[in-house]
Amino acid sequence: MGKPFQGVVYKGRRGEAETLGACGCGTGSCFTLVLFGFIAVCPVEVEEALSRITNTLAMKNEEISNFICALKQSLDNLEVNSNRVQEDLESEFSSLHSVLDEMKENMLTRIKQERASRTYELQSQLSACSKALESSEELLEVANQTLCSSETDGFTQAAKDIKDSVTMAPAFRLSLKVKASDNMSHLIVDFSQEREMLQGLKFLPVPATPEIQVSECQVCDNTVTVVWTLLEPDSKIDHYILEHRRTNHEGPPRIREDYPWMVVEGIREMVHTLTGLRFDTRYMTFRVRACNKAVAGEFSEPVTLETHAFTFKLDAASAHQNLKVEDLSVEWDSSGGKIQDIRKEKNRTSSPMHSPARSALMSPKRAPTARPGRDRFTAESYTVLADTMIDAGQHYWEVRFDKESKAFAVGVALRSLGRFDQLGKSNASWCIHLNNWLQQSLSAKHNNKARTLECPIPNSIGVYINHDEGVLSFYNAKTKQLMHTFKTKFQQPVIPAFMVWNGSFSVVTGLQVPSVVQSSQRKNSGTSSSNASLT
């Protein structure tokens, strides 16, 4: 900003308000320009102000140009879409006319067939009656002539012949009941209902907006069941479209909002269950809309459902040198420690800190307990920790391990677990331990106490922790059979911990607490084994 000045105000060529005057710098060559709300001092500042104005105007021009293109495209789309729906309407009416014409032809054919059949019956009956009447008239004439005859010799015989002829006359064998009715009213069609329906024919309305019923939605066992309703029944709805997306993406809110929706189409009922999910997110957002055969309605208000699951990675920086960590998999590497030892030997100095005597005298208990930077585990503590601490709530994860491993352990540990500490051999860790060295055994360990578990060794173990209530349980991950439960009081946050010697394992995270496990916890809340029972 320039200093206050006295200047002259005049109108420029384009009508902008400009003010010229001395800026007070003492050079006499500077002036102040007020243009489009910008105040600049000196030619350089004037140039910068004009440059900003020019850039703003250019951006505005580009924005207007893009909008004009969008309007033109909308006009073109309107023309195309209107022609399309007009053609569709004509096609539908042509189809309707074809159906009516076909029905008309079928009904006319039925009437003609009925008329021909009845005509044949009545004409046949008429012909038979006409012949019978003609025969009766001839016989009647013969009888009258015989009665009027004066000859007496052959009268008796003639009367007898007439009597026999009358008895056998067709007139006495005919049924005088009409064989076919002349009533055709049963073939009359009442089109009043159809006419009313056709008169009520309208364009398909836009379906109403569904409403997701949060209270009826369920989130359990890595599935989400979404339930929605309509304010009024709509028989024209053909299907529903459900969309969902995660909401824990990193980046600015605008970027997160632009993250694409996952689409599920062709849903026929007002309920849908998403399966096979890995809940590496705390929340998922859902929305749904109804569709008829022509148009889709508006989306429902987005609803966010909690899909909490514990997700972590293995901290390779904490792993023993003999453990090769790749993502969530760990493999024993016997050469890892040797390579490190060779490197240390090359870098060894004559400092007393590195002397064998001093190293031999160092006690694991004197190792730093805070473990700044998460020093690697060493000696026979073939351990690796997760990178996420647990300080509250219920969590669940699973571990698949090689049953041929010489030793394997899974559990949790305090952050203060020493570099030399083995899982289960201090009061800072709890674990299930597989020993496969001399004889195979499975035991629960804590504070250097162990309890042998009388259960089959599974291929994978599920770990459940309720930090608030001090419960740590281990399950057969496949059958969800409870193997052991520690009951304690976690005074500090804990970290998932793993140990393997001459073997391998992999971790599965992003899992919800299975409903079977939750039921088991409620059932066994008063009967689970505790630390005090370890011997």
Side-chain angles (χ1 to χ4, degrees), residues 462-493:
V463 184
Y464 164 85
I465 183 172
N466 187 330
H467 189 277
D468 302 332
E469 297 184 5
V471 175
L472 176 65
S473 296
F474 298 88
Y475 288 84
N476 182 318
K478 182 177 181 180
T479 64
K480 298 301 184 290
Q481 182 70 33
L482 179 63
M483 300 168 61
H484 184 78
T485 294
F486 291 101
K487 298 197 73 174
T488 184
K489 201 173 212 181
F490 298 117
Q491 302 290 353
Q492 304 175 29

Side-chain angles (χ1 to χ4, degrees), residues 315-321 323 344 362 364 366-379 381-386 414-421 495:
D315 183 9
S318 71
H320 190 281
Q321 296 171 354
L323 301 184
K344 288 182 179 179
M362 291 184 65
R366 299 185 61 182
T369 56
R371 301 186 66 237
R374 286 192 177 176
D375 315 3
R376 286 184 179 273
F377 287 96
T378 187
S381 182
Y382 304 112
T383 304
V384 60
L385 301 179
L414 300 180
R415 192 177 180 85
S416 59
L417 184 69
R419 294 178 59 203
F420 297 90
D421 291 344
I495 309 174

Side-chain angles (χ1 to χ4, degrees), residues 3 14 17 40 52 73 83 95 130 167 172 180 182 251 277 298 326-327 330 360 373 404 411 427 452 460 497 516:
K3 300 178 181 179
R14 297 186 180 180
R52 290 196 298 270
Q73 186 63 44
N83 290 336
S95 176
S130 297
T167 303
F172 291 96
D182 58 354
L277 301 178
E298 296 292 331
E326 292 185 2
D327 196 17
V330 175
E404 301 300 322
N427 61 0
T452 303
S460 58
V516 176

Side-chain angles (χ1 to χ4, degrees), residues 48 62 65 145 179 223 275 307 332 349 400 525:
E48 292 177 355
E62 184 179 0
S65 299
Q145 291 176 356
K179 292 184 177 181
T223 66
T275 60
T307 57
W332 165 267
T349 66
R400 299 169 184 168
S525 58

Side-chain angles (χ1 to χ4, degrees), residues 15-260:
E16 299 90 351
E18 300 180 358
T19 302
L20 297 179
C23 69
C25 67
T27 62
S29 61
C30 301
F31 61 91
T32 301
L33 175 66
V34 180
L35 184 61
F36 293 112
F38 293 97
I39 301 178
V41 179
C42 301
V44 176
E45 296 186 5
V46 172
E47 184 178 355
E48 292 177 355
L50 288 176
S51 178
R52 290 196 298 270
I53 293 170
T54 302
N55 291 336
T56 302
L57 185 59
M59 292 175 61
K60 193 65 177 179
N61 288 345
E62 184 179 0
E63 184 179 351
I64 295 174
S65 299
N66 293 336
F67 184 66
I68 290 174
C69 292
L71 289 176
K72 290 181 179 179
Q73 186 63 44
S74 296
L75 287 172
D76 294 340
N77 293 341
L78 177 62
E79 184 71 19
V80 172
N81 292 335
S82 60
N83 290 336
R84 178 179 58 79
V85 295
Q86 183 176 343
E87 292 174 358
D88 290 344
L89 183 64
E90 291 177 352
S91 175
E92 289 293 336
F93 270 95
S94 297
S95 176
L96 183 59
H97 290 156
S98 299
V99 172
L100 291 175
D101 289 340
E102 183 178 356
M103 293 181 64
K104 177 182 176 181
E105 290 298 324
N106 291 336
M107 289 182 173
L108 287 175
T109 301
R110 172 74 183 280
I111 292 174
K112 292 177 181 179
Q113 291 175 345
E114 188 82 6
R115 180 178 63 187
S117 175
R118 295 191 183 190
T119 298
Y120 175 78
E121 291 289 340
L122 292 176
Q123 286 181 347
S124 298
Q125 191 174 18
L126 177 61
S127 176
C129 289
S130 297
K131 291 181 179 179
L133 179 60
E134 182 179 352
S135 175
S136 296
E137 289 178 348
E138 293 177 354
L139 184 59
L140 181 60
E141 184 178 357
V142 172
N144 288 332
Q145 291 176 356
T146 301
L147 289 174
C148 295
S149 175
S150 57
E151 297 180 1
T152 57
D153 294 338
F155 180 77
T156 301
Q157 184 61 39
K160 183 178 179 182
D161 293 340
I162 292 173
K163 176 184 177 183
D164 294 337
S165 298
V166 170
T167 303
M168 299 299 295
F172 291 96
R173 297 196 303 272
L174 287 175
S175 171
L176 300 182
K177 183 178 179 180
V178 180
K179 292 184 177 181
S181 172
D182 58 354
N183 185 1
M184 298 287 287
S185 60
H186 66 289
L187 295 179
I188 295 177
V189 180
D190 180 13
F191 285 104
S192 58
Q193 185 176 356
E194 286 75 9
R195 186 179 293 107
E196 182 179 355
M197 182 180 65
L198 289 174
Q199 289 173 347
L201 190 64
K202 300 177 182 178
F203 291 107
L204 279 173
V206 177
T209 303
E211 181 179 355
I212 297 178
Q213 302 298 318
V214 180
S215 60
E216 298 183 22
C217 297
Q218 294 183 352
V219 181
C220 64
D221 297 330
N222 286 358
T223 66
V224 176
T225 299
V226 186
V227 181
W228 59 89
T229 58
L230 293 172
L231 294 179
E232 295 182 0
D234 187 350
S235 60
K236 300 294 184 181
I237 291 179
D238 180 69
H239 65 277
Y240 298 90
I241 296 177
L242 177 68
E243 295 187 354
H244 63 92
R245 68 180 178 187
R246 295 163 47 190
T247 58
N248 68 331
H249 297 286
E250 298 179 355
R254 182 179 62 82
I255 301 299
R256 293 200 299 266
E257 287 297 324
D258 292 340
Y259 199 84

